Amino acid sequence: MNVTAQQLAHLLNGTLEGDPNASISKPARIEEAVAGDFAFLDNPKYEHYAYETQASVLLVSQDFKPSKPVKPTLVRVADVRSSLAILLQEFQNQAATQAEISDKAEIHTSAKLGANCSVGSFTIIEAGAEIGNNCTIHPQVYIGPGVRIGDNCTLFPGTRIHADCIIGNACILYANAVIGSDGFGYAPQPDGSWSKVPHVGNVVLEDHVEVGANSCIDRAAMGSTRIKSGAKIDNLVHIAHNVEVGSNTVMAAQVGIAGSAKIGDNCQLGGQTGIAGHISLANGTRTQAQSGLGSTVKEENQALFGSPAIDYRDYVKAYIVFKQLPEMQKKLRALEKFIETLKAENS
């Protein structure tokens, strides 16, 4: 992709400072960019690179005030991060290969593929599966019987979608994500063994959901495990059977959600957060990394920390005291000795 700074500013509805004909061909990090690259600045910690970078074009906020001369052409925008997402999407679209179906893919005769779909080598698409338009299915993907996939989806290598699961429009499933494996359900027996409980439900991903690499979303015992529109799931996340994840909720790596929990809309779960089964989190709940929640959160927009999680500010205050405990213990022992000395003198 080769564009000018002027074209870039027009695409982003930004303002231009510098050479409108500056040409760029690819994005780069501000500290590594060379001539022909575009870079961005959205964090004051990196401002010093703005005066050193060799990038031809630099994306900055409208209120950026350089303290030194800047070599690149500046494109000023209202929101650097959102504008960057638009640019990277454009570059990705330009780099996309022409749709084709590999002759090494195995597609059942009853499966249906929409227009302009790519299917990679050694992918298997089972009977009755339906795939929408403009989907990119990379090599070694498994799509089970009766699966339905919407338009404009991308399935990266090794993705597994088990029988009867439903994937909405514009979803992205990263490498080795597993959708619709059985949940962890067993019934204890009198002899101490465990009898498997069949899971006959499915998983539903609504539109614009992303599922990170090596994440697993289990099918429901009955009904559906549901991930609502706009949810973003990082790598190595486990979502158990019959869980419901609200719209635009995001969760970082290694989050674990036990069966039948309900996560509200617009929640933010830090890495390694653990959610107990059969509880609910109110809309807007935020957890710090490694927090553990064992009971329902009813108040919306709370920030929680710890295990069991408590209010974020209370946890931070308590942790400051916790770090002081050894010194406080010394002072307490000294005070006890002093009191004993006073008692002995007065007896």
Side-chain angles (χ1 to χ4, degrees):
M1 180 176 179
N2 288 282
V3 297
T4 65
Q6 183 68 61
Q7 291 170 320
L8 216 61
H10 179 73
L11 173 67
L12 300 174
N13 195 28
T15 57
L16 193 66
E17 293 180 18
D19 180 9
N21 296 314
S23 178
I24 58 169
S25 60
K26 62 181 176 67
R29 298 169 64 189
I30 190 171
E31 63 268 37
E32 299 172 349
V34 297
D37 294 344
F38 85 82
F40 71 98
L41 174 66
D42 74 337
N43 188 327
K45 292 181 180 179
Y46 291 85
E47 182 178 333
H48 64 281
Y49 287 117
Y51 314 117
E52 305 167 5
T53 186
Q54 299 302 305
S56 296
V57 174
L58 184 63
L59 195 66
V60 298
S61 66
Q62 292 284 10
D63 58 2
F64 172 60
K65 296 179 180 179
S67 59
K68 300 178 184 178
V70 178
K71 180 180 177 181
T73 295
L74 298 182
V75 175
R76 294 183 177 272
V77 294
D79 185 333
V80 173
R81 186 64 63 169
S82 296
S83 296
L84 179 66
I86 292 171
L87 283 180
L88 295 180
Q89 185 64 59
E90 284 293 319
F91 273 81
Q92 187 177 64
N93 291 343
Q94 291 286 333
T97 57
Q98 187 174 3
E100 63 176 38
I101 297 175
S102 171
D103 58 5
K104 295 180 181 177
E106 183 178 323
I107 303 174
H108 195 276
T109 55
S110 65
K112 297 178 181 178
L113 268 68
N116 197 39
C117 286
S118 294
V119 181
S121 299
F122 307 111
T123 283
I124 296 174
I125 303 176
E126 298 277 26
E130 297 182 10
I131 297 166
N133 301 320
N134 306 310
C135 290
T136 301
I137 301 170
H138 287 264
Q140 299 182 349
V141 169
Y142 175 79
I143 298 173
V147 167
R148 286 185 286 156
I149 298 174
D151 298 334
N152 303 305
C153 291
T154 301
L155 278 57
F156 282 95
T159 299
R160 270 67 175 140
I161 306 176
H162 291 260
D164 300 317
C165 291
I166 299 172
I167 312 297
N169 298 312
C171 291
I172 302 175
L173 277 60
Y174 291 93
N176 298 314
V178 179
I179 309 298
S181 54
D182 271 11
F184 190 71
Y186 299 90
Q189 301 300 300
D191 63 358
S193 64
W194 297 87
S195 176
K196 181 175 176 58
V197 176
H199 286 64
V200 298
N202 70 348
V203 173
V204 176
L205 307 186
E206 296 184 359
D207 297 344
H208 300 284
V209 169
E210 296 189 22
V211 180
N214 294 301
S215 289
C216 298
I217 304 177
D218 293 345
R219 70 195 307 112
M222 291 176 282
S224 297
T225 301
R226 183 173 295 272
I227 313 299
K228 293 188 175 180
S229 60
K232 311 300 182 188
I233 297 166
D234 197 3
N235 306 328
L236 297 166
V237 168
H238 179 227
I239 298 175
H241 60 273
N242 291 97
V243 166
E244 181 180 293
V245 174
S247 298
N248 301 315
T249 284
V250 295
M251 55 189 75
Q254 298 183 25
V255 164
I257 305 177
S260 299
K262 295 188 183 301
I263 314 301
D265 299 337
N266 302 110
C267 294
Q268 299 175 25
L269 306 183
Q272 295 186 335
T273 292
I275 310 294
H278 302 276
I279 69 169
S280 299
L281 304 190
N283 296 339
T285 299
R286 305 186 307 281
T287 66
Q288 191 74 5
Q290 294 191 329
S291 294
L293 283 76
S295 58
T296 288
V297 176
K298 295 182 179 179
E299 182 182 340
E300 294 189 355
N301 302 313
Q302 283 197 87
L304 305 174
F305 196 7
S307 185
I310 59 175
D311 180 83
Y312 177 86
R313 289 165 295 185
D314 290 343
Y315 180 90
V316 172
K317 292 175 184 176
Y319 190 72
I320 291 171
V321 174
F322 173 77
K323 290 193 295 183
Q324 297 173 344
L325 285 179
E327 187 62 30
M328 291 170 66
Q329 184 184 40
K330 291 179 183 178
K331 291 180 180 180
L332 179 61
R333 286 177 175 173
L335 182 59
E336 288 174 338
K337 289 181 180 179
F338 178 70
I339 292 172
E340 290 298 323
T341 302
L342 288 177
K343 286 180 178 180
E345 290 174 353
N346 294 325
S347 60

